[in-house]
Amino acid sequence: MDRLESMEVFVKAIDLGSFTATAAALDLSGPMVGKHVRFLEERLGVRLINRTTRRQSLTDFGRAYYERCRIVLAEAQAADALAADQLSEPRGKLRVTMPAHLGRHCVTPILLALARRHPTLELDLSLSDRFADLVEDGFDMAIRTGALDDRAGIIGRRVARQRMLVCASPSYIETFGKAHRSGGPRHPSGNRLPAARPCVAAMALPARRRFRRRVRAGRSIASRRSRCDRRRGERRHGAGLAAILAGA
């Protein structure tokens, strides 16, 4: 039998004054109430209750044990309430790693709003394009883009889809032209231009800085070499990025 449950039955039997009332209150049979009390007595090696057909009374040890059981049961209930409180309100430190650009502009505002709703939640955010080891680096969660590596013990869940686009400014098209499905790039004047043109690629690996845009029937056009990648995206914004795209 469970000792804590037997203590609860014992205390209830003393509070209500009879095994019959205890059985009704706890939805047990009368004999089962007696078994719980005997379990405690046999475990302790001492009698707790003097019981006759008409009345029951605590022994001296039973009275002291009863008071201790009440304290133990109250502490157990307080511990359960603490667990319930923990589950009802997020609290403690949450360590999250995420890519710098995505984290700063997309994820961090959401997490800060979450922290405002839950004052007991503490955020520890790491904005880095380095793939962190959750266990070794002590992170609770990682937010990443792209395919998830098959790593043992890591649970992954897609939270959104990211659409990749090829974009160009008007000055870039003026300088380098734009690609056509019928052939290579053309200047707005109609003259053909060399296929290779500079670009800024959102690629993390140097080997992927050269890419080709695929069009219908599997044909590809306009091979492009990236003059920089966007791993340090914040540094590529503004005038510097415009200069690169313009071929400066």
Side-chain angles (χ1 to χ4, degrees), residues 72-221:
V72 170
L73 292 173
E75 290 295 330
Q77 291 176 353
D80 289 346
L82 178 63
D85 182 59
Q86 289 281 349
L87 293 175
S88 64
E89 175 71 15
R91 65 182 66 244
K93 178 180 290 188
L94 178 65
R95 300 198 67 214
V96 186
T97 176
M98 66 195 82
H101 191 77
L102 176 71
R104 183 171 290 109
H105 294 282
C106 300
V107 181
T108 298
I110 297 174
L111 292 179
L112 292 179
L114 178 68
R116 284 193 294 269
R117 291 198 304 271
H118 303 285
T120 56
L121 179 64
E122 179 183 353
L123 296 178
D124 184 353
L125 307 181
S126 173
L127 279 67
S128 171
D129 293 328
R130 181 180 69 88
F131 279 83
D133 187 302
L134 296 185
V135 177
E136 292 294 331
D137 297 331
F139 287 105
D140 301 302
M141 180 174 66
I143 299 174
R144 292 296 173 192
T145 59
L148 178 67
D149 293 339
D150 185 13
R151 299 183 182 182
I154 301 298
I155 300 175
R157 178 181 299 176
R158 178 184 289 128
V159 295
R161 292 184 179 273
Q162 183 181 31
R163 185 183 180 190
M164 305 299 291
L165 300 175
V166 178
C167 304
S169 66
S171 60
Y172 181 93
I173 296 176
E174 178 68 24
T175 303
F176 297 103
K178 59 182 179 180
H180 293 269
R181 292 184 177 181
S182 59
R186 293 178 181 272
H187 190 272
S189 64
N191 297 326
R192 289 184 179 274
L193 292 171
R197 289 165 289 167
C199 67
V200 176
M203 307 295 182
L205 300 177
R208 298 172 63 184
R209 290 186 183 179
R210 184 189 297 270
F211 65 97
R212 300 176 70 86
R213 180 184 176 192
R214 303 194 66 81
V215 294
R216 66 173 65 174
R219 291 190 302 112
S220 62
I221 60 174

Side-chain angles (χ1 to χ4, degrees), residues 37-49:
V37 175
R38 285 195 299 274
F39 167 74
L40 293 176
E41 291 178 333
E42 291 172 1
R43 186 179 184 281
L44 296 169
V46 63
R47 183 177 292 277
L48 298 174
I49 298 176

Side-chain angles (χ1 to χ4, degrees), residues 10 13-14 17-19 37 41 46-63:
F10 168 66
I14 302 306
S18 74
F19 283 14
V37 175
E41 291 178 333
V46 63
R47 183 177 292 277
L48 298 174
I49 298 176
N50 291 319
R51 185 167 182 262
T52 66
T53 55
R54 293 186 177 182
R55 61 187 297 270
Q56 65 182 31
S57 62
L58 285 170
T59 64
D60 290 341
F61 179 81
R63 186 172 294 104

